[in-house]
Amino acid sequence: MKHVRRMLFSLILISNMLLCGCWNYHDIEKYSLVLGFAIDRNEQENSYLLTAEVLDFEMSGKEAKPTSKLIESKGNSVFDAIRNMLKLTEKRLYWGHADTVIFSQDIAKEGIIPVLDLIFRDAEMREEMHVVISKEKTAKELLEQQTMISTLRSTEIDRILNSQGSLAKAPVVEAYELINELEGEGISAALPAMGIATNAGKKTVELMGTALFKSDKLIGFIDSEETKYFLFVINKVNRGLLIQNESPENQMNKITLEIFKTKTKTKPEYYDGKVVMDIDIKTEVAIAEMETSMDYIKDVNRSKLKKDAEASLKSSVKNIIKKIQDNYDTDIFGFGMLVSANMPSLWDSIGPDWDHLFKKLDVNVNVDISIRNSALVSKSIRKESIRKEN
Amino acid sequence: MEREIISTKQGTFMMVIFVIGSSIVLGSSVEAKQDIWIAIVVALFMSLPMLFVYSKLLTSFPGKNLYYILEEVFGKVAGKIISLLYVWYSFHLGALVLRNFSEFVQVISLPETPQTIIIIFLGLVCLWAAKAGIEIIGRWTAFIFPVGWFVLLITIPLSMSKMHLINIKPVLHNDLKPVLSSAFSFFTFPFAETVIFTTVFNTLRNKKKTFKVYLSGTVVGGAIILLLSVRNILVLGVHITTDLYFPSYMAVRTLSIGDFIQRTEITVATFYTIGVFIKASVCLYAASKGVAKILNIEKSSQIVAPIGFLMMNLACIVYSSTMEMFDWINTYKYYAIPFQIIIPVITLIIAKIKFYVKN
């Protein structure tokens, strides 16, 4: 009898626990996954317009094909806009898989900290989200464009950013890195910019260089080519191409070098009352394309090519630093941060004045390019007669 | 009195998990900023003499736990009063640990679930473990530890690609004062919390190795905390690390290798659960040992259940918000001084004097 009573008691206890229901019971069918979202600002109403791309499935034959839908919603704060989406959908949205967020230029010009807060604070949204600035009028336009290969717009944007490893034409910044740059001293943020381009008659989204920030406000853009040299300075280049004119007179024939390995070491130096940045770029390249009859594989010509490439990389890097100093005056290279890390006591005295100093900062650039190989071919394509001439 | 015996290995592992327990997730002290690693090393050195005191206490009275020693040294009445203080300390600490865990769960994943439920479920397991005795806890630790530390430390090489050495510079440029203050925080939480083991380690099989167990447990635990803290700073940077409530969780969250190793933060949460379970169980065990000794109850396992339920109650009401919890962590370092430093040192001195007078 005692046994039965004990059994009964534990049964009641267990079913109490199992049947009382759960608070955070999440049914996957009741959720839609958000892939990415765009935030715009409505000036007149002083509200945010949030556009989320939501994963959807389309039956084609027997297979389900992933597609996406856009949901727009307004709100007084970003979170308000997110919750207001429940006015439109039966399903709650799940934000843990969103990997791209696009800010409009308006928001970026006003300051991105207010909209970043939710991404940082919310437990569901992830800090490694990619942040993109829209070069168009609104941010949601980008999500409305057609995709190229993937069927999901945000996923494709995310993949484009991830493949910058072999192109090096946009800084890839995750939300937490951005916050670190915004909070840190002696560094300004730079984010990838995207805009609408026409590809084979259809509009689609393209990377268009870098958006420059001063504190948390957008102040300008630089194009993709300049971005590459900017990435050289901050040591974010993995792979990429260097294109070399054969000579200043001959702009037609170009030699393309593919970067295989590159490393930039930046060191601040302090000479008689002035800070100088020493930038050392060591690059390993291979000859990937030669549009010329000149044999650059030969020893003498190769060292000429090496010298030319070094000189042009050096001047390009110097130019971009100069341009940023003159036109934008924002330390996106993090030179100030390097000074504060390596010469903390000097930084204490010059730190407050850094904005002023950055503009006149001297930069030494040293470039060392070594040519590793020339792919499959040991010569250039040319007539036998020219071959004898060389 | 029931006789329980734990091996040196079990004792060490228990200590390591106890030390890492809640510190792995809570960003305990932020004052030192990028010099946090110096603070932890200093704290480890600061705790060495205290570890010596704790183990000396135990080896002076082989086979006896702290409550027995207190009565022996201070006499029946005073000893019982001081014992009561230690009962409170371990009881309170256990409750705090449970509450830390439930706050963590609520903040990161279950915002709508009442914390009471989380506390009850984990508390029941702790209660069960403490009732089964230190032997069972020890054996369980020896079983889970090898898996646990591997999972915990594997995240460090995996996040290597996201580390930036510049985050830890400049070294010691800010004043030494915040570093020392941080070091003291680390000393009281978690290193000197091992004072609770003075009520447990009388069960060690090899009494001579008490100090060795204390030392290796704290040093290994400290080293793991050191590695994880440095990892957090290197990955997230100083600003974010100091902004966050749970930096370790976030640092692992950013980790992704290819498309297949990602969202690994659950490993941190899992290890934290293990740590909290061990820590709360040991605290509960220590508290019920003390109550049994004060009230002259033969079997301490009889009173584990009521104390355990009281502990869960205290855990539910001890803070009203997450902010309050993190405020308390700053106050805790002063609150813990008598339990961790003053009473053990005085006890040891009086015990030694009495010993010499007797001879």
Side-chain angles (χ1 to χ4, degrees):
Chain A
M1 197 53 208
K2 205 180 168 193
H3 214 67
V4 175
R5 215 192 276 166
R6 195 177 284 177
M7 286 261 283
L8 216 69
F9 179 69
S10 48
L11 201 72
I12 292 169
L13 205 72
I14 290 169
S15 44
N16 250 334
M17 285 173 187
L18 294 178
L19 301 177
C20 65
C22 303
W23 283 269
N24 284 80
Y25 180 61
H26 289 191
D27 239 338
I28 186 125
E29 301 94 64
K30 289 187 182 147
Y31 271 77
S32 313
L33 301 184
V34 176
L35 300 165
F37 56 103
I39 305 178
D40 285 298
R41 191 156 169 75
N42 189 331
E43 282 301 329
Q44 284 102 36
E45 292 175 32
N46 195 20
S47 64
Y48 290 103
L49 175 69
L50 197 82
T51 314
E53 188 185 18
V54 175
L55 185 66
D56 194 16
F57 287 97
E58 196 175 77
M59 294 301 283
S60 61
K62 272 184 184 167
E63 283 168 32
K65 213 176 97 194
T67 56
S68 66
K69 277 197 177 120
L70 294 181
I71 302 177
E72 270 177 31
S73 130
K74 268 185 203 163
N76 293 325
S77 67
V78 181
F79 198 47
D80 187 33
I82 286 178
R83 277 293 152 87
N84 279 342
M85 285 185 175
L86 279 178
K87 292 201 290 193
L88 296 165
T89 59
E90 45 161 346
K91 290 180 177 180
R92 254 180 90 162
L93 302 182
Y94 181 69
W95 297 81
H97 283 278
D99 38 32
T100 327
V101 52
I102 306 169
F103 293 142
S104 73
Q105 278 196 49
D106 296 344
I107 285 187
K109 276 174 190 157
E110 275 172 36
I112 49 173
I113 285 179
V115 276
L116 264 180
D117 186 78
L118 183 78
I119 297 172
F120 191 37
R121 193 175 299 278
D122 194 77
E124 209 170 271
M125 291 198 193
R126 301 181 68 89
E127 307 43 50
E128 70 262 36
M129 219 182 271
H130 285 132
V131 185
V132 177
I133 301 294
S134 164
K135 251 189 142 173
E136 302 303 321
K137 240 181 149 162
T138 59
K140 75 171 194 197
E141 274 171 78
L142 296 190
L143 290 180
E144 285 164 352
Q145 302 312 312
Q146 285 207 331
T147 51
M148 294 298 296
I149 291 169
S150 161
T151 49
L152 311 168
R153 185 67 268 172
S154 308
T155 312
E156 194 161 20
I157 292 179
D158 183 52
R159 299 253 166 89
I160 290 173
L161 290 171
N162 280 335
S163 61
Q164 288 312 303
S166 41
L167 181 64
K169 283 191 176 167
V172 181
V173 181
E174 295 178 353
Y176 78 98
E177 294 170 318
L178 174 63
I179 292 161
N180 239 349
E181 283 173 6
L182 291 174
E183 289 195 327
E185 272 182 63
I187 186 162
S188 296
L191 292 175
M194 281 186 156
I196 296 173
T198 316
N199 177 63
K202 283 178 182 164
K203 281 185 173 176
T204 186
V205 173
E206 194 191 0
L207 259 181
M208 294 183 172
T210 305
L212 309 175
F213 284 77
K214 183 154 189 151
S215 93
D216 74 325
K217 293 182 176 60
L218 177 73
I219 53 164
F221 293 96
I222 52 175
D223 68 24
S224 317
E225 202 54 34
E226 289 167 324
T227 300
K228 183 163 72 188
Y229 301 114
F230 157 58
L231 293 178
F232 259 111
V233 180
I234 61 170
N235 192 22
K236 280 262 180 81
V237 177
N238 258 341
R239 303 276 298 273
L241 302 179
L242 288 175
I243 294 153
Q244 186 60 37
N245 291 328
E246 195 177 358
S247 60
E249 306 87 57
N250 184 356
Q251 301 273 340
M252 282 295 289
N253 298 345
K254 291 187 165 73
I255 301 151
T256 306
L257 304 169
E258 185 177 5
I259 303 163
F260 279 94
K261 215 165 119 189
T262 178
K263 200 172 166 81
T264 308
K265 274 191 185 155
T266 310
K267 248 177 92 184
E269 301 279 355
Y270 190 65
Y271 300 117
D272 32 271
K274 264 174 106 182
V275 183
V276 178
M277 304 303 295
D278 274 332
I279 301 174
D280 266 306
I281 303 175
K282 272 209 168 77
T283 306
E284 230 176 76
V285 298
I287 299 173
E289 192 182 346
M290 272 202 310
E291 303 173 349
T292 161
S293 51
M294 188 79 153
D295 188 5
Y296 280 104
I297 316 286
K298 218 160 75 179
D299 228 20
V300 192
N301 295 336
R302 203 171 66 221
S303 56
K304 179 183 172 290
L305 173 66
K306 174 181 140 90
K307 282 224 172 72
D308 288 352
E310 279 173 358
S312 70
L313 180 58
K314 183 174 170 174
S315 74
S316 303
V317 167
K318 275 199 148 168
N319 284 343
I320 181 66
I321 296 175
K322 190 100 187 67
K323 182 176 177 183
I324 302 280
Q325 280 175 326
D326 291 350
N327 301 355
Y328 301 106
D329 189 21
T330 172
D331 189 359
I332 53 172
F333 308 101
F335 289 151
M337 196 176 72
L338 284 171
V339 175
S340 82
N342 294 317
M343 306 167 168
S345 14
L346 176 68
W347 179 253
D348 284 346
S349 58
I350 65 167
D353 211 20
W354 184 250
D355 271 357
H356 181 67
L357 286 171
F358 172 74
K359 217 169 164 117
K360 290 178 197 146
L361 193 68
D362 282 333
V363 179
N364 282 333
V365 185
N366 293 312
V367 182
D368 179 26
I369 293 179
S370 58
I371 298 170
R372 186 205 258 185
N373 62 32
S374 58
L376 292 181
V377 186
S378 70
K379 301 255 165 34
S380 49
I381 307 170
R382 61 211 162 143
K383 283 261 189 272
E384 188 62 30
S385 52
I386 304 176
R387 191 169 286 206
K388 272 172 196 155
E389 264 174 42
N390 280 330
Chain B
M1 282 283 274
E2 68 263 59
R3 292 223 53 76
E4 290 178 303
I5 289 171
I6 55 172
S7 70
T8 320
K9 192 173 105 187
Q10 289 167 353
T12 316
F13 286 174
M14 219 191 294
M15 190 99 133
V16 175
I17 296 194
F18 185 92
V19 168
I20 340 174
S22 19
S23 324
I24 156 191
V25 164
L26 302 175
S28 56
S29 187
V30 295
E31 291 156 79
K33 295 200 170 154
Q34 64 267 54
D35 296 325
I36 195 159
W37 56 281
I38 301 175
I40 295 175
V41 173
V42 172
L44 262 177
F45 278 104
M46 273 160 86
S47 60
L48 285 185
M50 288 325 294
L51 300 184
F52 182 74
V53 169
Y54 302 155
S55 51
K56 197 78 197 160
L57 266 179
L58 282 168
T59 43
S60 315
F61 301 85
K64 307 286 188 241
N65 68 21
L66 180 73
Y67 302 117
Y68 182 91
I69 297 168
L70 288 172
E71 279 194 19
E72 192 86 333
V73 171
F74 293 104
K76 265 239 148 92
V77 181
K80 274 191 195 274
I81 292 169
I82 298 174
S83 291
L84 204 60
L85 285 178
Y86 272 98
V87 169
W88 164 253
Y89 179 65
S90 31
F91 175 72
H92 184 213
L93 183 64
L96 297 185
V97 169
L98 282 178
R99 181 59 186 250
N100 288 346
F101 178 73
S102 71
E103 287 284 353
F104 174 72
V105 171
Q106 185 165 62
V107 167
I108 63 158
S109 65
L110 304 175
E112 290 150 35
T113 310
Q115 294 196 9
T116 322
I117 303 297
I118 301 159
I119 290 172
I120 287 176
F121 276 88
L122 189 71
L124 280 177
V125 186
C126 295
L127 200 151
W128 188 5
K131 198 173 170 64
I134 203 71
E135 251 184 59
I136 310 294
I137 302 178
R139 259 183 262 150
W140 190 82
T141 320
F143 161 73
I144 204 77
F145 182 73
V147 190
W149 76 262
F150 179 75
V151 171
L152 198 61
L153 294 184
I154 193 78
T155 58
I156 295 176
L158 288 181
S159 49
M160 207 77 102
S161 63
K162 295 217 162 186
M163 292 183 181
H164 302 288
L165 207 60
I166 194 165
N167 287 341
I168 217 155
K169 286 200 234 173
V171 178
L172 265 185
H173 173 62
N174 304 333
D175 223 3
L176 204 63
K177 225 175 129 193
V179 176
L180 290 181
S181 154
S182 251
F184 187 64
S185 295
F186 274 108
F187 166 76
T188 54
F189 166 67
F191 299 135
E193 275 177 356
T194 50
V195 67
I196 287 186
F197 277 96
T198 49
T199 61
V200 173
F201 275 176
N202 60 320
T203 53
L204 275 182
R205 182 178 289 130
N206 193 342
K207 303 277 185 303
K208 279 178 198 144
K209 285 192 176 162
T210 312
F211 182 65
K212 207 189 137 214
V213 170
Y214 252 108
L215 186 68
S216 49
T218 316
V219 168
V220 171
I224 293 178
I225 294 178
L226 178 72
L227 284 174
L228 296 178
S229 306
V230 172
R231 192 266 322 264
N232 295 347
I233 296 262
L234 286 177
V235 171
L236 295 175
V238 179
H239 304 290
I240 293 196
T241 312
T242 47
D243 285 352
L244 287 169
Y245 285 135
F246 310 115
S248 282
Y249 184 76
M250 203 62 90
V252 179
R253 207 166 137 146
T254 60
L255 188 162
S256 75
I257 293 184
D259 271 342
F260 58 98
I261 300 181
Q262 46 175 256
R263 290 159 206 260
T264 42
E265 63 265 21
I266 195 68
T267 57
V268 175
T270 313
F271 195 88
Y272 183 47
T273 316
I274 295 170
V276 166
F277 167 58
I278 292 293
K279 202 165 174 177
S281 303
V282 170
C283 289
L284 179 55
Y285 177 84
S288 44
K289 271 274 176 222
V291 175
K293 177 75 185 153
I294 293 169
L295 302 178
N296 289 325
I297 298 172
E298 273 285 294
K299 273 191 156 178
S300 67
S301 61
Q302 282 177 343
I303 51 164
V304 166
I307 294 178
F309 282 116
L310 279 176
M311 194 187 248
M312 293 179 217
N313 271 320
L314 180 63
C316 293
I317 58 168
V318 69
Y319 304 124
S320 60
S321 66
T322 316
M323 287 75 98
E324 200 182 321
M325 179 170 106
F326 282 89
D327 285 344
W328 168 253
I329 289 177
N330 294 328
T331 325
Y332 177 82
K333 55 184 174 193
Y334 305 111
Y335 158 80
I337 293 174
F339 303 106
Q340 293 177 347
I341 304 173
I342 300 175
I343 302 178
V345 170
I346 293 178
T347 314
L348 184 67
I349 292 170
I350 297 182
K352 284 288 155 197
I353 293 172
K354 274 197 170 171
F355 184 75
Y356 279 115
V357 170
K358 232 180 227 171
N359 294 342

